[in-house]
Amino acid sequence: MVSKKIFLVFVLPVIFSIVFGSAVMNDILDKPGRELNMWPMSFSEGFSSHKSPIEIIGLAKQYSTTAPVEIQIEIDDASFDCGDLYVTIYSSSNDVITQGGYFEQCFGDGTGTIPINDEFSKIIDSPGSYEIVAEMVSKQLQTISTRGTFTVK
């Protein structure tokens, strides 16, 4: 009698939770464009098994208050061969420090570094931790983005 109560109170809810959780996860992952990424963003930069369609090139982990943050963005997706690029730097409290917009960035073959004939270069004179976000919006209004973090000392 006691073992049936233990089974009903402790074991049966665990079994239902696993079955229900698996069904929900299966339903979510069946939807187009969904994937299970078990690595946090900071770990997946160097250990990813597939290359992201957008990457920040030239971002150092640390800058001085006199050194400019200079980056380029690499796009490896043919559907984003022409579009608008936005680069934004946020402080640790999510305040916008600076933003750059580069319009009609076209490089034809679907792969390349942008901004074309320009560069993103900003000096941040306040020490702290910052996040940089690069977002590319195609002519078809599709969006891809990537982010990175750095510190200023």
Side-chain angles (χ1 to χ4, degrees), residues 55-122:
E55 292 186 12
I56 299 173
I57 306 297
L59 182 65
K61 295 288 180 192
Q62 185 173 328
Y63 293 91
S64 71
T65 55
T66 58
V69 177
E70 295 180 337
I71 62 155
Q72 286 193 310
I73 307 302
E74 183 178 45
I75 306 288
D76 190 23
D77 188 339
S79 60
F80 291 92
D81 65 347
C82 201
D84 298 334
L85 172 68
Y86 302 96
V87 181
T88 308
I89 296 179
Y90 296 95
S91 69
S92 58
S93 60
N94 283 335
D95 294 328
V96 174
I97 301 301
T98 186
Q99 184 174 37
Y102 305 92
F103 304 106
E104 298 190 17
Q105 298 289 302
C106 299
F107 41 86
D109 65 354
T111 60
T113 56
I114 52 178
I116 298 171
N117 299 325
D118 204 348
E119 65 180 26
F120 179 84
S121 178
K122 303 291 181 186

Side-chain angles (χ1 to χ4, degrees), residues 17-79:
S17 295
I18 291 172
V19 170
F20 182 71
S22 298
V24 169
M25 184 67 76
N26 185 41
D27 183 54
I28 289 171
L29 292 176
D30 278 345
K31 294 184 177 166
R34 293 293 187 120
E35 64 181 36
L36 182 61
N37 184 3
M38 297 298 285
W39 292 101
M41 203 59 169
S42 62
F43 290 120
S44 67
E45 290 172 359
F47 303 105
S48 178
S49 62
H50 67 282
K51 186 176 178 185
S52 173
I54 181 172
E55 292 186 12
I56 299 173
I57 306 297
L59 182 65
K61 295 288 180 192
Q62 185 173 328
Y63 293 91
S64 71
T65 55
T66 58
V69 177
E70 295 180 337
I71 62 155
Q72 286 193 310
I73 307 302
E74 183 178 45
I75 306 288
D76 190 23
D77 188 339
S79 60

